Amino acid sequence: MQDFIEFFSFTDANIRYVTLGSVLLAASSAVVGCFTLLRKRALVGDAVAHSVLPGVCLAFMLSGTKNPFILLIGAFVTGWLSLLVIDYITSRSRVKEDTAIGLVLSVFFGIGILMLTAIQQTGNAAQSGLDKFLFGSAASLIGEDLIAFGVVAVLLLVAVVVFYKELTLLCFDQAYARTIGFPVRGLELLLTTLTVFAVVVGIQAVGVVLMAAMLITPAAAARFWTENLKVMLVLAALIGAFSGIAGAFVSYTAPSMPTGPWIVLIVSMIAILSFALAPGRGWVARIMRQRRNKTRILEENLLKLLYQLGELRQDYGSARSLEELLERRNIPKKEALTGLRKLRRQGYLQKVESRWLLTPEGEKRGRRVVRLHRLWELYLTQYLNLASDHVHEDAETIEHIITPELEQRLIEELNYPDLDPHSARIP
């Protein structure tokens, strides 16, 4: 508790620098990462992150100083150059983008390692700590670094706000953007520049090896929670900011723990929880939805079966035994009993001794499923010219997902039919 109070009081200047720097880096990178993710160019961030190392080394060799602004300029130049090379290789050859990314990443990173090794062998005392760009060192951020990162982070956020409409259209409908006269190539260069800036501003905190995670992971986590881009941007920024604060706190309470890797680890944990628990798109929600759909299909199949038995004998008011149902349809006995009991609780069936009887509501629902099945069979034979003996399986699947609106449209398209392709009456 004492460490918690000391940390969040922000009385220590070093805590302020590290925390604010981490928040700025993580939040701004996450916002730009949303557009990179939506354009399906997630690997580009990794390529840029590895390609900035030779720029950092070259800037140091030319200036002889570790001034963050000079190093950022060098990193920006080679990062931007790497994206131009990727685009050039992709457009001028048969090499696919992922292959081009791998080539550029390895070549630029190899050059960076060679330059870093050469600098270390010169004996220049000023080069001490330059290798921190490989793995990051957020705990060593100072006021000068914070100013540089703050300027870049603000530029990134302002650019996203100003060009939000254009970037959104570029991500979702590039052809339409070109049709209405948007400068698509210019917007692509703008997004490229923002991506490079986001990577460049984050490498000192988490390093070139982990920077791709900072760019993409918060965006991927936010994507699972919403379908709205504005909400996604805010969520990604909040996830990135929280990860920055949490990583700095862990590093403060356990000085041997590096800040950058902990930021990445925390944002990855948030992403995993999002993948699992997000409503609608998460694993848990998907499993529950699949179970609900499976249960509904079983229930509708049982009601349809009972209705068809009544239709066959022109007697909807008689109770049927479980054996009669299983003779007509291959349903596991345990599943059939579970479904029948649930339908009874819902008021669709009544149990008379050991036999099952449709209630008026159950008969109505069973009739609708039969009607949808036969309408779809008729539609497939009339409009797709399928043979009548080849449409049953398709109808078995589609009958469970036809909405009332689509049902009405089918009836109108088929001119209010009375019989299906097998001359059975459509109820």
Side-chain angles (χ1 to χ4, degrees):
M1 180 58 72
Q2 184 178 353
D3 287 341
F4 184 87
I5 295 172
E6 288 178 358
F7 180 85
F8 285 100
S9 64
F10 299 114
T11 53
D12 189 324
N14 187 53
I15 293 176
R16 290 197 298 271
Y17 292 150
V18 173
T19 304
L20 187 55
S22 299
V23 168
L24 287 172
L25 297 173
S28 58
S29 298
V31 169
V32 175
C34 289
F35 294 103
T36 305
L37 177 72
L38 292 172
R39 290 205 69 209
K40 298 179 174 60
R41 303 194 75 189
L43 287 177
V44 167
D46 200 25
V48 174
H50 285 76
S51 301
V52 299
L53 187 59
V56 171
C57 295
L58 185 61
F60 175 79
M61 293 170 68
L62 294 177
S63 66
T65 177
K66 290 189 294 182
N67 183 292
F69 280 103
I70 295 176
L71 296 183
L72 287 177
I73 291 172
F76 175 80
V77 170
T78 53
W80 208 75
L81 180 63
S82 70
L83 287 183
L84 291 181
V85 173
I86 291 171
D87 288 340
Y88 181 84
I89 293 174
T90 305
S91 60
R92 299 299 179 90
S93 70
R94 289 188 169 185
V95 176
K96 293 184 178 179
E97 187 179 44
D98 57 344
T99 307
I101 289 172
L103 289 171
V104 171
L105 181 152
S106 55
V107 170
F108 274 71
F109 190 58
I111 293 172
I113 294 294
L114 288 175
M115 295 176 71
L116 186 61
T117 304
I119 291 171
Q120 290 173 337
Q121 292 176 351
T122 61
N124 187 344
Q127 60 86 26
S128 176
L130 200 62
D131 58 342
K132 294 290 176 49
F133 280 94
L134 280 173
F135 302 106
S137 182
S140 64
L141 294 178
I142 59 175
E144 194 177 28
D145 297 321
L146 192 61
I147 294 172
F149 298 157
V151 169
V152 175
V154 169
L155 285 174
L156 288 174
L157 296 176
V158 169
V160 168
V161 171
V162 172
F163 295 99
Y164 172 78
K165 181 179 67 176
E166 291 80 0
L167 292 174
T168 302
L169 198 56
L170 179 68
C171 291
F172 289 106
D173 199 337
Q174 184 173 322
Y176 179 67
R178 185 178 287 107
T179 301
I180 63 176
F182 275 23
V184 171
R185 185 57 183 165
L187 292 173
E188 287 179 337
L189 292 176
L190 172 64
L191 187 54
T192 297
T193 304
L194 295 179
T195 303
V196 175
F197 264 130
V199 171
V200 166
V201 81
I203 54 174
Q204 191 161 340
V206 297
V208 301
V209 177
L210 298 176
M211 188 55 217
M214 285 300 303
L215 188 70
I216 299 301
T217 309
R223 180 69 183 90
F224 269 72
W225 292 96
T226 181
E227 300 286 344
N228 186 302
L229 179 56
K230 291 181 180 178
V231 177
M232 179 182 172
L233 292 172
V234 173
L235 281 177
L238 291 175
I239 290 171
F242 174 80
S243 302
I245 295 174
F249 177 71
V250 171
S251 182
Y252 174 75
T253 55
S256 61
M257 294 290 186
T259 306
W262 265 103
I263 293 175
V264 173
L265 182 60
I266 290 168
V267 77
S268 299
M269 291 169 62
I270 294 173
I272 291 171
L273 290 174
S274 298
F275 300 161
L277 303 177
R281 299 172 65 89
W283 301 329
V284 174
R286 191 180 302 121
I287 291 170
M288 292 177 64
R289 187 164 56 249
Q290 289 172 347
R291 287 185 176 180
R292 285 196 300 269
N293 289 339
K294 184 178 179 181
T295 300
R296 183 169 60 85
I297 290 171
L298 174 63
E299 292 171 0
E300 290 185 350
N301 283 338
L302 289 169
L303 291 174
K304 180 178 71 171
L305 191 53
L306 283 162
Y307 182 86
Q308 287 174 330
L309 284 171
E311 187 179 46
L312 184 65
R313 301 171 187 178
Q314 290 300 304
D315 179 12
Y316 300 100
S318 296
R320 313 294 176 187
S321 67
L322 178 61
E323 288 69 25
E324 285 183 82
L325 300 178
L326 300 183
E327 282 178 8
R328 287 185 58 87
R329 192 176 185 109
N330 186 22
I331 302 175
K333 185 175 181 180
K334 187 176 180 181
E335 285 186 22
L337 277 172
T338 302
L340 291 169
R341 288 166 183 160
K342 189 171 182 181
L343 288 167
R344 180 189 179 190
R345 290 194 299 270
Q346 294 173 347
Y348 292 112
L349 294 180
Q350 290 180 354
K351 190 173 183 182
V352 181
E353 297 179 352
S354 60
R355 301 167 75 84
W356 302 91
L357 171 67
L358 284 170
T359 64
E361 284 299 315
E363 183 181 339
K364 180 180 178 182
R365 188 177 172 189
R367 184 189 307 117
R368 181 176 184 270
V369 179
V370 172
R371 180 169 64 251
L372 295 178
H373 181 99
R374 293 174 182 173
L375 283 172
W376 192 253
E377 285 188 332
L378 187 60
Y379 178 81
L380 292 177
T381 55
Q382 286 194 5
Y383 285 86
L384 298 183
N385 297 319
L386 296 180
S388 60
D389 57 348
H390 284 66
V391 295
H392 178 75
E393 292 299 326
D394 284 332
E396 280 284 305
T397 302
I398 206 71
E399 67 190 21
H400 303 289
I401 59 174
I402 295 178
T403 63
E405 294 78 14
L406 184 54
E407 176 188 356
Q408 183 59 36
R409 187 172 175 183
L410 277 173
I411 293 172
E412 293 172 358
E413 288 282 342
L414 296 169
N415 197 24
Y416 301 89
D418 294 320
L419 300 175
D420 75 354
H422 311 287
S423 299
R425 188 179 65 84
I426 299 176

